[in-house]
């Protein structure tokens, strides 16, 4: 019995063998590196976290790792968030999903007047943050939290921090990795 591919392969892999496809499109956690300097706010106490990149660079803006599965229309990474840490309130031009894998994490949305609504999520729970809505997360527990992060574009813009001071530092952070 033979199978029929009902959709064409992308031009860049049209002639690839199955072995080439598997070698380029499989990513295992053991081959990922924790990037504790992925974001310009990650060096600030309260915002420390590591990014493990799987598909595309995500909002860190780092597109240089040949070990990352190429992004088409979304990114996927895993964040390791130690107790007492999280990320700075920010926005994106696309939706961002936080899916809790291990531990617990408080997710929030807020407006420009500082009004905030929060909810604590545990394993197998998630939030989808719409474009332009200020959002983030915080690990208020005594154990690390691991969450999967997806962004709705293969090469999204770098996170737009709500704090003007952090926003002003993001370009300098990216240029040091160039």
């Amino acid at each position: 019995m033979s199978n029929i591919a009902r959709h064409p392969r992308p031009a860049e892999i049209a002639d690839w063998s199955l072995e080439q496809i598997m070698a380029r499109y499989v990513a295992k956690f053991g081959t990922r590196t924790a990037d504790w300097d992925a974001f310009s706010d990650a060096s600030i106490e309260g915002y420390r976290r590591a990014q493990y990149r799987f598909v595309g660079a995500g909002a860190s803006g780092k597109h240089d790792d040949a070990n990352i599965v190429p992004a088409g229309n979304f990114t996927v990474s895993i964040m390791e968030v130690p107790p007492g840490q999280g990320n700075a309130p920010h926005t994106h031009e696309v939706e961002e999903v936080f899916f809790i894998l291990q531990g617990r994490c408080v997710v929030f949305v807020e407006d420009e007047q500082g009004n905030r609504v929060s909810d604590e999520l545990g394993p197998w729970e998630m939030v989808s943050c719409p474009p332009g809505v200020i959002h983030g997360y915080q690990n208020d527990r005594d154990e690390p939290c691991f969450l999967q992060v997806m962004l709705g574009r293969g090469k999204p813009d770098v996170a737009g921090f709500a704090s003007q001071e952090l926003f002003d530092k993001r370009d300098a952070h990216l240029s040091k990795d160039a």
Side-chain angles (χ1 to χ4, degrees):
M1 181 168 113
S2 64
N3 293 324
I4 299 170
R6 302 293 179 182
H7 301 91
R9 291 183 186 178
E12 62 271 15
I13 66 165
D15 297 327
W16 284 20
S17 69
L18 296 178
E19 290 78 13
Q20 287 173 302
I21 292 170
M22 287 295 284
R24 187 62 184 110
Y25 287 89
V26 170
K28 297 185 178 184
F29 187 75
T31 63
R32 306 297 98 183
T33 302
D35 185 352
W36 289 93
D37 189 38
F39 305 94
S40 59
D41 67 332
S43 63
I44 300 170
E45 181 59 32
Y47 301 139
R48 292 180 40 249
R49 64 202 183 282
Q51 180 186 42
Y52 298 85
R53 290 184 283 283
F54 281 81
V55 177
S60 69
K62 295 183 176 183
H63 300 277
D64 57 348
D65 190 342
N67 197 28
I68 298 172
V69 173
N73 298 301
F74 63 92
T75 67
V76 175
S77 61
I78 303 296
M79 303 303 294
E80 178 179 349
V81 187
Q85 305 298 315
N87 69 347
H90 65 283
T91 62
H92 294 284
E93 82 282 17
V94 296
E95 66 272 28
E96 182 173 37
V97 174
F98 301 140
F99 188 95
I100 310 304
L101 300 171
Q102 179 182 324
R104 300 192 70 78
C105 189
V106 174
V107 297
F108 63 84
V109 295
E110 62 183 44
D111 63 22
E112 292 175 339
Q113 290 73 45
N115 299 306
R116 180 180 281 193
V117 176
S118 302
D119 197 357
E120 185 176 77
L121 302 179
W124 304 103
E125 297 176 335
M126 55 79 60
V127 61
S128 179
C129 306
V133 173
I134 300 170
H135 63 278
Y137 55 82
Q138 177 72 30
N139 179 0
D140 292 333
R141 296 295 183 119
D142 293 332
E143 63 183 17
C145 179
F146 288 83
L147 52 133
Q148 179 186 34
V149 179
M150 295 181 67
L151 284 155
R153 182 169 292 149
K155 288 190 178 182
D157 188 16
V158 179
F161 294 111
S163 157
Q164 188 64 47
E165 181 181 356
L166 288 175
F167 185 79
D168 290 344
K169 292 180 179 180
R170 72 183 195 153
D171 292 336
H173 177 76
L174 289 176
S175 67
K176 75 179 186 179
D177 295 314

